[in-house]
Amino acid sequence: MKKLALIATAAILGVAAPAFADDWDFMLVNNTGKVIEKIEVAPAGTTNWAENKVDPELKKDPKIKVGGKTTVHFDKGVQCKYDVRATFEDKSTSVWSGYNACDNSYLTISFTGDKPTFKAN
């Protein structure tokens, strides 16, 4: 009887666990003026960067051209705000901080002067 209870508890916990690590996505539009080679996402204010889970059909050339867009896939934690880091063809990087993935499905990244800016909707 105890064994059955342990199995039932493990099954319930196994079903509940994915709620903390859901696979989420958003559409990213590249208005930076530079070709992006890699996108990474981290919970806002951390350095726990995770690479975009690129769709298999894009594996041949995952670059995001100027004016191009791509779907960014990531594991959503318990928070809503994320930082997005782009690595460009010239190997430079920039970070857009505080994107609210819970309220917005589209993220357009750009620069105002040298400062990374974004529009979310």
Side-chain angles (χ1 to χ4, degrees):
M1 194 65 164
K2 287 182 184 180
K3 188 174 183 179
L4 183 58
L6 285 173
I7 291 170
T9 302
I12 290 168
L13 290 175
V15 171
F20 294 105
D22 290 336
D23 193 26
W24 274 42
D25 56 43
F26 61 89
M27 182 64 64
L28 181 129
V29 180
N30 178 9
N31 280 348
T32 64
K34 300 162 108 179
V35 175
I36 298 172
E37 285 193 339
K38 181 170 66 172
I39 291 290
E40 297 168 290
V41 178
T46 73
T47 57
N48 300 329
W49 297 107
E51 270 193 63
N52 176 22
K53 298 176 182 179
V54 179
D55 289 326
E57 65 270 9
L58 298 177
K59 287 274 187 198
K60 293 177 185 168
D61 187 12
K63 293 180 183 178
I64 309 162
K65 296 178 178 151
V66 175
K69 58 186 173 185
T70 192
T71 302
V72 177
H73 302 284
F74 67 103
D75 289 329
K76 182 187 177 289
V78 295
Q79 71 286 335
C80 287
K81 296 231 175 166
Y82 289 87
D83 296 341
V84 177
R85 178 168 68 181
T87 302
F88 300 99
E89 268 187 327
D90 65 4
K91 304 305 180 210
S92 65
T93 62
S94 290
V95 175
W96 289 263
S97 299
Y99 168 63
N100 187 328
C102 294
D103 295 339
N104 301 285
S105 304
Y106 290 86
L107 176 66
T108 301
I109 58 174
S110 58
F111 291 105
T112 300
D114 290 337
K115 182 182 176 192
T117 56
F118 70 86
K119 178 182 174 188
N121 56 347

